[in-house]
Amino acid sequence: MKVIKLANPRGFCAGVDRAIDIVSLALEKYGAPIYVRHEVVHNRKVVEDLKKKGAIFVKELSEIPEDGITVFSAHGVAEKVELDANERKLKYFDATCPLVSKVHKEVIRYAVAGKDIVMIGHKNHPEVEGTLGRFPNGSDGKMYLVENVEQAKNVVINQPKNLFLVTQTTLSVSDTKEIIFELKKRFPAMQEPNSEDICYATQNRQDAVKQLALETQLILVVGSENSSNSNRLKELAEKSGSKSYLIDDPDQISGDMLENVSSLGITAGASAPEELVQSIVQKCTDFGYSNEEELDGLEENIYFKLPSELR
Ligand code: SF4
């Protein structure tokens, strides 16, 4: 018998829900078009659906006309983007996830206190660009990006005894631990945030995929290629001994992929809609899978408030 097991929790987190709601409600209130700086969340289907409703995705504010209603993506933006929007008197809604905003506040607070800050994250990811861009000009300290253990072993810090650590919210929990271990060996005075920057949704989905890997031979991670947390789920599934593919369209599933797989696991990154997961489950039934079972997992009851103007 060929069975499907579903990870729990999986898919949308509270920050993604909020960001999509902000674009949808802005479209309802002001009508199309609504300009969104960067993909509001990293998922192809979400972006295509919002485009159909009248959202226009742009890379830079300069592409937005003077009266364009604007939304900043869930990944957050550098201070300069906000200042530019204010200078141009653009009306904008900030869909930055509150858990990313928490990291921005940490950067500002410790930079103002004159500390150096080291950030663990992936270069060029929009969240990292936004967080690095929160380090205030004119501060006495400096901000450094560290992407891996190798860089943690070599980074040269101006103020090793006056150093604070932040991380991207969607990293691999275990990889980050190894990097922090190296940094602490070299900079024992390094101060860490009171509560971890890696967010609850990332942690819970990684715990769930590890459990899924114990019970399945192959794991399909529903998520787009540019989704950081989805890529981490795929890596973790592989490290846990399962084969794994990242897919964001049912048509990407092939018979070759599923050859000799009797227990198939499915999970989804924090930006992947459940509707897409279900269409992938449906496609798998065409290959003879049945007995869909949802694993036990943590219930998430987190909700982030919408901007008052859109409530
Ligand atoms: S993955 Fe985490 S930080 Fe990113 S939007 Fe979701 S809750 Fe916020």
Side-chain angles (χ1 to χ4, degrees):
M1 187 191 292
K2 299 209 279 189
V3 296
I4 297 177
K5 298 195 180 196
L6 294 166
N8 184 18
R10 62 175 180 275
F12 276 7
C13 60
V16 163
D17 258 334
R18 175 176 178 272
I20 296 170
D21 282 351
I22 287 176
V23 180
S24 304
L25 291 168
L27 279 162
E28 271 173 35
K29 182 161 178 174
Y30 298 99
I34 294 292
Y35 294 85
V36 186
R37 186 186 177 279
H38 195 81
E39 288 191 354
V40 66
V41 302
H42 282 159
N43 185 270
R44 201 172 48 82
K45 183 176 187 327
V46 169
V47 168
E48 277 169 10
D49 287 351
L50 289 172
K51 272 186 191 167
K52 281 182 205 147
K53 291 187 191 170
I56 295 178
F57 291 86
V58 298
K59 278 194 180 150
E60 296 305 335
L61 291 188
S62 54
E63 298 166 57
I64 301 173
E66 291 313 308
D67 56 351
I69 310 274
T70 301
V71 176
F72 296 153
S73 82
H75 311 96
V77 294
E79 188 193 13
K80 183 171 185 323
V81 176
E82 234 170 51
L83 293 175
D84 286 352
N86 288 335
E87 199 175 314
R88 287 188 55 199
K89 299 195 170 55
L90 281 181
K91 179 168 186 62
Y92 66 84
F93 294 98
D94 187 358
T96 304
C97 176
L99 300 181
V100 175
S101 301
K102 165 192 165 272
V103 182
H104 289 180
K105 283 181 196 139
E106 285 164 355
V107 167
I108 295 163
R109 179 170 161 213
Y110 289 96
V112 166
K115 284 186 182 288
D116 280 354
I117 298 179
V118 62
M119 175 172 201
I120 303 174
H122 298 292
K123 199 175 174 183
N124 299 329
H125 186 281
E127 180 187 328
V128 172
E129 285 178 351
T131 303
L132 294 175
R134 291 284 156 178
F135 194 82
N137 282 335
S139 153
D140 288 342
K142 201 174 163 200
M143 191 155 177
Y144 306 82
L145 178 64
V146 164
E147 294 187 86
N148 49 43
V149 171
E150 201 46 39
Q151 291 181 3
K153 284 180 180 168
N154 294 304
V155 62
V156 179
I157 304 273
N158 283 349
Q159 306 183 81
K161 294 191 175 151
N162 194 22
L163 179 63
F164 187 73
L165 170 82
V166 295
T167 68
Q168 189 179 336
T169 56
T170 51
L171 298 176
S172 151
V173 176
S174 63
D175 289 354
T176 305
K177 274 190 186 143
E178 284 175 32
I179 300 170
I180 294 175
F181 180 78
E182 278 306 323
L183 288 170
K184 274 189 173 163
K185 258 201 317 201
R186 295 188 57 214
F187 314 116
M190 182 179 74
Q191 213 183 325
E192 292 179 62
N194 290 334
S195 62
E196 281 206 26
D197 292 333
I198 292 182
C199 77
Y200 79 96
T202 300
Q203 172 84 60
N204 292 348
R205 279 150 194 71
Q206 289 181 12
D207 290 345
V209 85
K210 278 197 250 173
Q211 183 59 37
L212 190 65
L214 294 176
E215 306 192 22
T216 54
Q217 295 160 292
L218 180 134
I219 293 181
L220 300 179
V221 177
V222 184
S224 293
E225 267 180 23
N226 58 351
S227 160
S228 169
N229 77 88
S230 304
N231 277 291
R232 303 296 82 76
L233 291 178
K234 176 177 178 287
E235 285 168 9
L236 202 51
E238 286 167 344
K239 273 192 191 164
S240 309
S242 274
K243 263 178 92 174
S244 183
Y245 295 99
L246 186 64
I247 56 169
D248 69 355
D249 190 312
D251 289 339
Q252 291 170 331
I253 301 173
S254 67
D256 286 352
M257 211 182 238
L258 303 175
E259 207 178 337
N260 298 326
V261 174
S262 56
S263 57
L264 172 65
I266 299 180
T267 187
S271 45
E274 182 61 16
E275 192 191 337
L276 185 56
V277 174
Q278 289 308 322
S279 64
I280 282 162
V281 168
Q282 186 55 43
K283 178 79 181 198
C284 292
T285 62
D286 296 348
F287 290 95
Y289 291 87
S290 58
N291 283 23
E292 185 189 318
E293 181 196 334
E294 174 137 347
L295 299 190
D296 288 339
L298 265 185
E299 198 176 320
E300 293 176 337
N301 293 313
I302 295 190
Y303 171 78
F304 296 133
K305 264 195 200 163
L306 289 162
S308 53
E309 212 181 317
L310 295 176
R311 268 181 241 152

